[in-house]
RNA sequence: GGGCGCGUAGCUCAGUUGGCUAGAGCACCUCGUUUACACCGAGGGAGUCGGGGGUUCGAGUCCCUCCGCGCCCACCA
């Protein structure tokens, strides 16, 4: 037991490093792989990118997961928070490419092997940053067992999954339209594409009929793709054009002829009603092309330039340059009928930010329908529960409409696809084929392919390891909404397929924390905060200025507890705006606990560590009752993933019930052994219950509390003692509080000296012992002598303030009249309600009775006042 | 175009299956050097619950409609 430092404030910066050390030394973050997954508790961290630095989302999610893990650990479960990082293909490769550029070289120049070596080197250097930042938050991840999605063992798991799925016919290679990202020089999946609104020019271009009988006019925003047109389509029912079906047109700028086809995809009322069909460069046209067995031509290559064989004079131009040149030529030929600005949504790469170029290319795909069905089932039958519930609908909808997943990426950083080619032969396997002349597929797998195996590949799968035995399936997966499909759904599918079990039983989708103005937190917008700046102090970005226009100043060093508390308190089932006040509230809470502990310790000395004795007084019974309720509610809120309520409930208990009332109520009491033991018990239980939320301050204080040995983080949380629930004491102290508040309000209004004890008479029906407490906190002195000068309504009656210098009769009369008016109004309301035959007849009896009781109470109070 | 969600005090948000005089934190005002805490305590003002309509004895809560905002999904050139 160590003495609490003699200061008036909790100083996180002094405490946190020491406590972190103690936790790490104790090794509580690293449970032995024993027992079964059912009796143990596990959370797999959403692996941050190795390139990443901690942002608000990590901090919030870190606070959530650590709260859960600590809570379960303190309830006796072997708890493992699986830690690791993701190799993050595109993001990491881009970083290192940038680095190479500063060195005046490039990926292509150094070659694949050297490039990969450089990425590893880079990873060794910067990859640890984010893990250290989690430690700073107080996160008790399993630092002794850190994984990386490119660890040798993990690679083996990924390759095995690929080979198995290939053998089972779910993975195949196909020539198909993909989202080509010119930024990364790779295909990307549908989920990595985001739509942005763009204003383009919509060109109407005339295609002359070959029989010279006229022309059809098509509308397009991408004239440069016309070199790959293979048809013109009209709606088969379109009276204007249906007679043209089967005829041909001459494709301008070329010598080719296109057939006019009918397809009901074409909207008659949009554009010109004629649609140029370019299967090689538009996903819809691709579908139409396959329906009509059209040729699939490529006009724009993977480098974003017009290709040689179709390009003619435009070959080698970038797509946009080609557009200008072609439109100019079309104008010269008089074929541009109309040009108008046109705003529409266009796909962009989520990663590189460049406009997607739909291209046909040879890629690896995974068929998803067969995997999706069981993943839908487990959510429908509750084996996987998604919180909040509304998200499960999104999950199911997406899976029910799932499409093949393009899993190959034209990158060098990642899991290289285990496929080798030699002439017409293909070898798919965990090891290279025998013989000469084989060449391995240069592509790597989509990063999410390996992420999908995270909950079991981190535990050693496919080997039947003790870790897998002890911690799979995991319990909770906590993440942001945007990767429900990218990651969560795929983990469920892969988990079911390869382990035969769900990867986790609960998915918690947390809020996204936005800037105070409602924008996304983002570094480039200047709307982001580095959580470490909140913890340790740092610049406050302008959008976070306390008052608009004022200099934003600096964040004070709030400390990790305050930040954790603040983030949990502001979180919700939907997106929320960042609120520095909540963090401040957390800081105040840590300080309050610190001082409350100092106070209690000054009272209890070496209190016995035993259970509290039978409580002696009304307030003792009350605080034990409230403490029990607090424990129960905290558990309940955590079980429901309601972190905000849990955090705010903690604040309320500590501030209101414990400090404002209980500690004030006992201040004047002599602290005997019983009271000391009780105080120590209440303090220990409070610290233990609060610990998962604000681990540093509670751990620090725990070291000074009698009867609390070793580390709080490793201690067993005291179970809520239901026998201590005491409705009678609850009601009793509630009445005391109401009475004290009423008298205080009266005193304040009457400008009575705050320190003065006023003579008064209690004419109210209150539980035994209440009178002493009221007198103590409201500064009254009960006496039989004296004339009443003022009356204060309290539960069960009133307090008569007796005449003294402190009371001004005129002011009293005015206040009494005001209260009488208020009462009359409320009585009229209640009277009207009870006079309503419908109400009395149809409302539940209890409601009617309560209303009657209330009316009675008000009438009594009115009578008392009018009489006085 | 579909789907989900939101609009409650100056700000950020709670308000369980409709039912005590609609709440909290912060901000604001007043008072207080009561030895745990001024990063504190006590007290106070402040809301046509986005608008309109409906169901009901009773609506912040349920239904319809309109307005404003956010997110997700979707192939209109």
């Amino acid at each position: 037991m160590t003495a609490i430092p003699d200061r008036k404030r909790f100083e996180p910066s002094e405490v946190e490093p020491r406590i972190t050390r103690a936790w790490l030394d104790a090794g509580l973050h690293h449970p032995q792989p024993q027992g079964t997954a059912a009796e143990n508790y596990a959370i797999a961290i959403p692996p941050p990118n190795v390139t990443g630095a901690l942002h608000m989302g990590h901090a919030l999610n870190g606070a959530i997961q650590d709260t859960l893990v600590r809570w379960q650990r303190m309830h006796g479960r072997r708890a493992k928070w699986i830690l690791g990082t993701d190799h993050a293909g595109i993001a990491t490769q881009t970083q290192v490419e940038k680095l190479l550029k500063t060195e005046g070289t490039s990926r292509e120049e150094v070659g694949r092997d050297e490039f990969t070596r450089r990425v590893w080197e880079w990873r060794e250097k910067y990859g640890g940053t984010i893990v250290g930042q989690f430690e700073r938050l107080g996160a008790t991840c399993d630092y002794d067992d850190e994984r990386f999605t490119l660890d040798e063992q993990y690679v083996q798991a990924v390759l095995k999954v690929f080979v198995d799925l290939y053998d089972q016919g779910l993975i195949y290679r196909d020539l198909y339209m993909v989202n080509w990202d010119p930024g990364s020089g790779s295909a990307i999946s549908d989920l990595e594409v985001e739509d942005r609104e763009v204003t383009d020019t919509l060109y109407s271009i005339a295609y002359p009929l070959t029989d010279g009988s006229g022309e059809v006019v098509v509308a397009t925003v991408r004239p440069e793709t016309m070199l790959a047109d293979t048809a013109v389509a009209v709606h088969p029912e379109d009276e204007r054009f249906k007679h043209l079906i089967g005829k041909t047109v001459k494709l301008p700028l070329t010598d080719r002829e296109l057939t006019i086809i009918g397809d009901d995809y074409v909207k008659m009322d949009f554009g010109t009603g004629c649609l140029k069909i370019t299967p090689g460069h538009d996903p819809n046209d691709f579908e139409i092309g396959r329906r009509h067995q059209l040729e699939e031509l490529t006009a724009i290559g993977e480098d974003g330039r017009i290709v040689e064989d179709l390009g003619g004079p435009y070959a080698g131009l970038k797509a946009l340059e080609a557009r200008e040149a072609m439109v100019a030529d079309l104008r010269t030929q008089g074929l541009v009928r109309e040009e108008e600005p046109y705003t529409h949504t266009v796909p962009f790469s989520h990663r590189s930010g460049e406009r997607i170029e739909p291209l046909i290319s040879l890629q690896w795909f995974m068929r998803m329908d067969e995997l999706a069905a069981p993943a839908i089932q487990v959510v429908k039958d509750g084996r996987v529960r998604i919180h909040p519930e509304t998200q499960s609908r999104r999950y199911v909808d997406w899976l029910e409409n799932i499409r093949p997943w393009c899993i190959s990426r034209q990158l060098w950083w990642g899991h290289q696809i285990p496929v080798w080619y030699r002439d017409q032969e293909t070898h798919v396997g965990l090891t290279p084929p025998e013989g000469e002349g084989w060449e391995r597929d240069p592509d790597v797998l989509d990063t999410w392919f390996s992420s999908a195996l995270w909950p079991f590949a981190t535990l050693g799968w496919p080997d039947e390891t003790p870790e897998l035995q002890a911690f799979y399936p995991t319990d909770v997966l906590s993440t942001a909404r945007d990767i429900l499909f990218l990651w969560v759904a795929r983990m469920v599918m892969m988990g079911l397929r390869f382990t035969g079990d769900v990867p986790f039983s609960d998915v918690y989708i947390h809020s996204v924390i936005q800037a105070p103005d409602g924008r996304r937190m983002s570094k480039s917008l200047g709307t982001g905060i580095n959580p470490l700046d909140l913890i340790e102090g740092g610049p406050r970005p302008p959008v976070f200025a306390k008052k608009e226009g004022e200099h934003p100043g600096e964040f004070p060093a709030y400390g990790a507890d305050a930040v954790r508390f603040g983030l949990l308190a502001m979180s919700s089932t939907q997106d929320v705006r960042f609120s520095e006040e909540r963090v401040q509230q957390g800081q105040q809470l840590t300080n309050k606990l610190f001082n409350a502990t100092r106070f209690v310790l000054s009272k209890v000395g070496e209190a016995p560590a035993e259970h509290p004795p039978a409580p002696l007084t009304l307030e003792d019974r009350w605080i034990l009752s409230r403490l029990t309720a607090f424990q129960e509610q905290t558990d309940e809120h955590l079980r429901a993933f309601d972190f905000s309520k849990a955090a705010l409930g903690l604040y309320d208990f500590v501030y209101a019930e414990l400090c404002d009332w209980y500690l004030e109520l006992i201040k004047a009491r002599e602290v005997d052994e019983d009271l000391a033991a009780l105080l120590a018990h209440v303090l220990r239980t409070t610290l233990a219950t609060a610990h998962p939320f604000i681990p540093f301050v509670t751990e620090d204080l725990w070291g000074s509390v009698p009867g609390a040995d070793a580390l709080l983080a490793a201690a067993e949380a005291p179970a809520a003692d239901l026998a201590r629930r005491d409705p009678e004491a609850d009601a009793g102290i509630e009445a005391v509080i109401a009475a004290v508040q009423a008298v205080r309000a009266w005193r304040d209004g009457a400008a009575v000296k705050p320190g003065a004890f006023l003579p008064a008479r209690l004419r109210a029906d209150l539980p035994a012992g209440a009178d002493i407490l009221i007198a103590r906190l409201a500064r009254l002195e009960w006496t039989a002598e004296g004339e009443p000068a003022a009356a204060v309504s309290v539960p069960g009656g009133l307090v008569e303030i007796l005449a003294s210098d402190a009371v001004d009769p005129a002011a009293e009369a005015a206040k009494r009249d005001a209260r009488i008016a208020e009462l009359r109004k409320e009585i009229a309301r209640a009277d009207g309600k009870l006079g309503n035959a419908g109400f009395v007849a149809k409302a539940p009896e209890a409601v009617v009775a309560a209303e009657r009781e209330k009316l009675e109470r008000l009438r009594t109070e009115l009578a008392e006042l009018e009489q006085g």
Side-chain angles (χ1 to χ4, degrees), chain A residues 442-460:
Chain A
D443 290 356
V444 301
L445 291 166
D446 181 3
T447 302
W448 296 108
F449 186 97
S450 52
S451 311
L453 319 181
W454 186 248
F456 51 93
T458 48
L459 295 173

Side-chain angles (χ1 to χ4, degrees), chain A residues 343-362:
Chain A
T343 302
H344 60 148
T345 56
V346 171
F348 280 79
S349 164
H350 200 72
R351 275 281 158 221
S352 70
E354 291 207 26
R355 193 161 166 165
I356 292 298
E357 188 64 61
L359 288 182
I360 291 175
S361 80
L362 192 56

Side-chain angles (χ1 to χ4, degrees), chain A residues 843-865:
Chain A
E845 256 177 67
V847 174
V848 178
E851 196 65 30
R852 286 221 170 88
E853 211 171 294
K854 184 177 112 193
L855 180 61
E856 190 56 34
R857 203 178 68 230
L858 296 172
R859 280 199 169 126
T860 311
E861 188 185 339
L862 182 64
E864 298 263 20
L865 285 182

Side-chain angles (χ1 to χ4, degrees), chain A residues 36-37 43 46 117 169 195 198 206 267 278 305 318 335 358-359 363 371 379 663 669 718 723 733 751 754 757 783 868:
Chain A
T36 66
I43 294 182
R117 196 191 63 75
D195 285 334
V198 160
K267 300 274 180 298
T278 321
R305 292 173 185 275
K318 282 190 185 166
L335 293 174
L359 288 182
Q363 302 285 346
L371 294 165
V379 165
L663 294 184
R669 271 169 67 184
I733 295 296
F757 277 83
T783 169

